[in-house]
Amino acid sequence: MTVSRPFHLMAKPIGPLCNLRCEYCFYLSKEELFSKERRSDFVMKDEVLEAFIQQYIQAQPEGTQEVIFAWQGGEPALLPTSFYEQAVELQKRYARPGMRVRNAFQTNGTLITPERARWFAQNDFLLGVSVDGPEELHNRFRHDADGEGSFSSVMRGVEALVEAQCEFNTLTVVQSDNALHPQKVYDFLKSIGSRFMQFIPIVEREHRKPGERVTKADQQAWKSLLSHTGVSERTVSPQAWGYFMTGVFDSWVRHDIGEVFVSHFDMFFGLHQGYPASFCVHSETCGNAMAIEHSGDVYSCDHYVFPSHHLGNLMDQPLEDLVMSKKQVNFGLAKRDDLPQECQNCSYLFLCRGGCPKNRLLVGDGGALNWLCEGYKSIYAHTSPIFQAMGAAHRARRHASEFRSFFRIPQGSEVGRNDPCPCLSGKKFKNCHGALR
């Protein structure tokens, strides 16, 4: 039996176990969900691994050409290479004729040896390496079990991947510290060979019960880049999130279109052209990306691994029944149905869709607003005219980097003659698009 829509499962084959103690990690505490006497009990058993691979492939809709297995944690590299060798063999056994099976492996990089890097390369694994910028920014919150910074160990892992010519991208958590240094972070990621970048904003409630909203008074936090009323000190403020992403965008536009790929920018470009969002945060509904723990337990989302969002265990119930359960369907629809009036009236709704429900902490009219709302608005205001021009270039069969020939000043914009041109050419407005007026 197959499901009626594509879906994705993020696998946690070692559960929440990790060799690092990153301060903002939301998953380390999940160890409390499972009554385990030994750490070895967190390893996904052979029978669970086979059931997961078989059911995940077989439950995909008819006609599915490609299936991606995403291995995460915790730290999945705590498991030996033999575990993933077994997984690859099972994938070959259960893949449909003509189906391509791919593997994505999210790691902190510290356990990647030259030998493992070569194995990943030989088996076509795409590795995602978590790195928050150069050493002083990365080590701010990413520590090992002894409280020491993990940067040097991560860089050894990256060097092994580069040497093995293993495809990798980078995942950078944007927090209160590195958010103020977009250029430094972006330049560093390029310097280590990253050409595919993902940026994830950290938002953490502080001393609040699940579901409790930040009050109207707390929302004055938006007035400062560094204010964190109602959230943790690690949380990126809305303004800092906007500052970081627009800073990265400006550098990308000037130097790297077509050479460096930033997941947010690829998606925003697509949304402006009428394509669906490429990841759930900005989709109208969610619920198509679930998490499976080492035990075979399936949860609504890896950010919702709580008893309240437990769907069942694939050793007891067919995976397709869990995916299509009323509980999971309602979970996904709530992203759209619980939007406050402010979101429904917003001109940027088609880009944002309210963001991730876990970040909806602010009191709104008829629902909860996303903590990062004002930051997203500043990103959209800054980038939309350029993405629209890129779309026009694309339709004219021109490269996206030629967008300035199609750029239009947004209606109602007030740009001084000596201001920098908003097309980011680096010229004064009067010597660029202002001369066309």
Side-chain angles (χ1 to χ4, degrees):
M1 178 179 174
T2 63
V3 301
S4 58
R5 53 179 169 76
F7 71 97
H8 181 69
L9 270 184
M10 181 180 292
K12 311 279 190 174
I14 193 68
L17 299 190
C18 187
N19 61 318
L20 296 187
R21 296 296 181 268
C22 302
E23 290 187 32
Y24 51 62
C25 181
F26 67 92
Y27 216 78
L28 284 172
S29 63
K30 302 303 180 186
E31 196 168 337
E32 300 170 2
L33 283 176
F34 307 97
S35 55
K36 305 290 186 183
E37 294 182 2
R38 302 179 302 274
R39 291 175 68 82
S40 60
D41 291 337
F42 281 97
V43 176
M44 183 177 280
K45 295 179 180 178
D46 291 350
E47 59 268 27
V48 177
L49 176 64
E50 181 167 5
F52 160 49
I53 290 174
Q54 179 183 15
Q55 293 189 43
Y56 184 47
I57 290 175
Q58 292 181 351
Q60 296 295 329
E62 292 294 338
T64 298
Q65 298 296 309
E66 182 178 79
V67 174
I68 298 175
F69 284 80
W71 307 98
Q72 203 179 69
E75 173 49 53
L78 285 171
L79 289 171
T81 302
S82 58
F83 176 89
Y84 299 102
E85 290 175 337
Q86 182 182 5
V88 170
E89 289 304 312
L90 289 168
Q91 290 167 355
K92 292 176 181 178
R93 180 188 305 173
Y94 290 110
R96 298 172 189 166
M99 175 182 279
R100 183 183 183 190
V101 178
R102 300 189 63 194
N103 289 279
F105 191 93
Q106 186 61 43
T107 175
N108 59 41
T110 62
L111 301 176
I112 303 301
T113 62
E115 294 75 20
R116 295 199 82 168
R118 287 192 291 270
W119 187 88
F120 283 130
Q122 291 164 2
N123 289 275
D124 198 29
F125 272 57
L126 168 64
L127 267 70
V129 181
S130 297
V131 56
D132 286 359
E135 185 167 10
E136 69 277 12
L137 298 177
H138 176 90
N139 283 345
R140 177 70 175 85
F141 296 119
R142 297 190 68 84
H143 310 141
D144 62 21
D146 296 322
E148 300 296 324
S150 60
F151 180 82
S152 297
S153 297
V154 176
M155 288 304 100
R156 283 195 295 272
V158 170
E159 289 166 7
L161 294 173
V162 172
E163 180 65 25
Q165 297 183 348
C166 181
E167 185 180 3
F168 77 96
N169 56 33
T170 50
L171 186 152
T172 299
V173 172
V174 182
Q175 23 81 354
S176 57
D177 197 29
N178 65 0
L180 304 182
H181 305 280
Q183 189 71 57
K184 184 182 290 188
V185 171
Y186 182 67
D187 288 347
F188 171 78
L189 295 177
K190 288 199 298 180
S191 76
I192 65 172
S194 177
R195 293 298 177 266
F196 296 85
M197 304 176 187
Q198 185 176 5
F199 297 105
I200 304 294
I202 187 71
V203 178
E204 301 174 312
R205 292 183 182 91
E206 187 169 67
H207 306 307
R208 294 177 187 277
K209 299 175 182 178
E212 187 177 355
R213 307 301 180 196
V214 177
T215 66
K216 290 286 188 181
D218 290 338
Q219 293 178 38
Q220 297 304 311
W222 282 0
K223 294 182 178 179
S224 168
L225 279 174
L226 296 176
S227 179
H228 296 92
T229 305
V231 292
S232 74
E233 66 164 359
R234 298 175 289 270
T235 292
V236 62
S237 72
Q239 286 82 1
W241 173 236
Y243 174 78
F244 180 86
M245 290 302 293
T246 55
V248 169
F249 178 81
D250 288 358
S251 185
W252 175 76
V253 163
R254 292 189 176 106
H255 308 295
D256 298 316
I257 295 175
E259 300 295 327
V260 174
F261 300 88
V262 179
S263 59
H264 275 91
F265 303 157
D266 289 351
M267 182 185 62
F268 292 156
F269 172 78
L271 288 169
H272 277 286
Q273 313 317 312
Y275 293 101
S278 54
F279 47 95
C280 56
V281 171
H282 297 284
S283 297
E284 182 178 23
T285 61
C286 59
N288 293 333
M290 288 143 282
I292 179 170
E293 262 291 347
H294 65 288
S295 55
D297 289 302
V298 179
Y299 293 86
S300 293
C301 168
D302 80 312
H303 286 286
Y304 285 84
V305 177
F306 304 113
S308 59
H309 289 82
H310 179 241
L311 299 175
N313 190 297
L314 57 66
M315 302 301 288
D316 303 322
Q317 298 170 264
L319 179 58
E320 56 265 25
D321 290 351
L322 303 180
V323 173
M324 298 302 296
S325 66
K326 184 176 181 180
K327 182 175 184 177
Q328 183 63 8
V329 171
N330 289 340
F331 172 82
L333 293 176
K335 184 177 190 292
R336 177 196 66 196
D337 297 344
D338 292 346
L339 281 177
Q341 198 62 44
E342 293 94 330
C343 292
Q344 297 179 40
N345 296 337
C346 181
S347 61
Y348 295 128
L349 177 61
F350 77 102
L351 295 170
C352 177
R353 300 296 178 184
C356 183
K358 78 176 181 65
N359 295 337
R360 295 181 184 177
L361 308 183
L362 303 171
V363 176
D365 182 4
L369 278 169
N370 197 295
W371 169 259
L372 298 169
C373 176
E374 293 301 311
Y376 276 121
K377 285 181 178 179
S378 69
I379 296 168
Y380 300 145
H382 186 81
T383 63
S384 289
I386 291 178
F387 283 129
Q388 290 165 1
M390 286 182 180
H394 178 71
R395 290 188 291 275
R397 300 180 182 275
R398 304 270 290 277
H399 192 271
S401 61
E402 300 179 62
F403 73 89
R404 290 186 180 89
S405 298
F406 301 87
F407 184 82
R408 299 291 180 268
I409 303 300
Q411 196 170 23
S413 297
E414 295 184 7
V415 185
R417 283 174 48 79
N418 291 313
D419 291 343
C421 188
C423 77
L424 302 180
S425 63
K427 300 177 182 179
K428 290 184 178 180
F429 181 58
K430 66 183 179 183
N431 297 325
C432 195
H433 283 84
L436 303 177
R437 286 190 164 184

